Amino acid sequence: MGKSISLQLKDGTRIGAYVAEPAGTPKAGLVVVQEIFGVNAHIRSVADRYAAQGYLAIAPALFDPVQPGVELGYDQEGMTKGLEYVGKLGFDRALAGVEAAAQEVQRAGKVATVGYCWGGTVSYLSAIRLGLPAISYYGGRNVQFVGEQAKAPLMFHYGLKDAHIGEADREAVRKANPTAEFHVYDADHGFNCDARGSYDAASAKLAMERSLAFLAKHVG
């Protein structure tokens, strides 16, 4: 359904991206922000699903500046490598990739972001620093940025059984963003990903419905 393209960042660096086009005129643009496992088959399928709902979806390969073409599996080796790339990249360069991707799809109209895991925090930061409406799925590092004010609408999805994100962290994020839509599910970290053991179909379906309603309201 999708195709691979190249994006140029402000500093001249080039990164790859996966683009999924909707069948008709796009409702809006959507940047799909990867987990620590890269733009793998799951992230491409997420972009495809949003394209099927009418959005011009793009998943930038944010790790490309430190390691091109990353596609990791959901195992210990994948997690170790992914965390290493996250550490090397930093959030500023991740946001530069999101910004370039947003510019690429703004021909579709307004642009929002949706991110998962580490990408959930990058998505949250996109609302703070780029002013893009953002959906954050189980962003474990969200709590690091509660001191900064978001400049766009936000939606958060969290799993109650998520060992990576405790209630105190969730509540700190909620308190810092009183106007955000905030949803908690009886599910684990990564509940949206059908390639993971923690996948929860009912929670994933409900979160997707809520996310689509959020996008319809804020970007079209």
Side-chain angles (χ1 to χ4, degrees):
M1 190 176 186
K3 62 179 180 182
S4 296
I5 64 162
S6 175
L7 299 172
Q8 185 167 329
L9 311 189
K10 279 180 176 172
D11 68 358
T13 306
R14 296 200 78 85
I15 66 170
Y18 176 80
V19 179
E21 302 255 1
T25 303
K27 295 175 181 176
L30 183 68
V31 181
V32 178
V33 193
Q34 63 178 67
E35 307 157 305
I36 65 168
F37 305 98
V39 180
N40 58 11
H42 170 63
I43 293 299
R44 293 193 296 271
S45 77
V46 170
D48 290 342
R49 281 204 290 272
Y50 277 106
Q53 295 293 329
Y55 294 93
L56 176 56
I58 184 168
L62 298 181
F63 288 164
D64 274 10
V66 296
Q67 182 66 45
V70 173
E71 288 193 45
L72 300 171
Y74 295 96
D75 53 15
Q76 192 55 52
E77 186 189 1
M79 194 170 286
T80 302
K81 279 189 176 173
L83 288 170
E84 181 191 323
Y85 299 146
V86 163
K88 284 181 179 173
L89 185 71
F91 279 114
D92 288 345
R93 283 198 288 178
L95 274 184
V98 171
E99 188 172 20
Q103 285 168 352
E104 177 67 25
V105 295
Q106 67 185 11
R107 59 189 160 91
K110 293 180 180 175
V111 180
T113 71
V114 59
Y116 304 85
C117 175
W118 171 75
T121 297
V122 176
S123 192
Y124 176 32
L125 264 180
S126 300
I128 294 170
R129 297 185 189 168
L130 302 177
L132 297 172
I135 302 164
S136 172
Y137 276 78
Y138 33 82
R141 299 168 195 236
N142 289 355
V143 72
Q144 292 177 25
F145 301 102
V146 294
E148 296 184 52
Q149 197 65 43
K151 302 180 184 73
L154 281 162
M155 175 177 276
F156 294 98
H157 300 295
Y158 286 108
L160 271 176
K161 298 173 182 170
D162 191 335
H164 302 276
I165 306 168
E167 187 181 0
D169 282 4
R170 283 201 312 272
E171 287 309 311
V173 173
R174 190 200 294 260
K175 195 175 172 185
N177 298 281
T179 61
E181 294 182 58
F182 207 93
H183 301 292
V184 182
Y185 304 82
D186 188 24
D188 201 346
H189 188 82
F191 68 78
N192 182 70
C193 177
D194 56 9
R196 298 172 87 149
S198 55
Y199 176 60
D200 185 293
S203 298
K205 182 173 181 285
L206 180 56
M208 181 69 167
E209 287 166 3
R210 287 168 167 167
S211 297
L212 288 169
F214 175 91
L215 292 173
K217 182 177 176 181
H218 296 294
V219 294

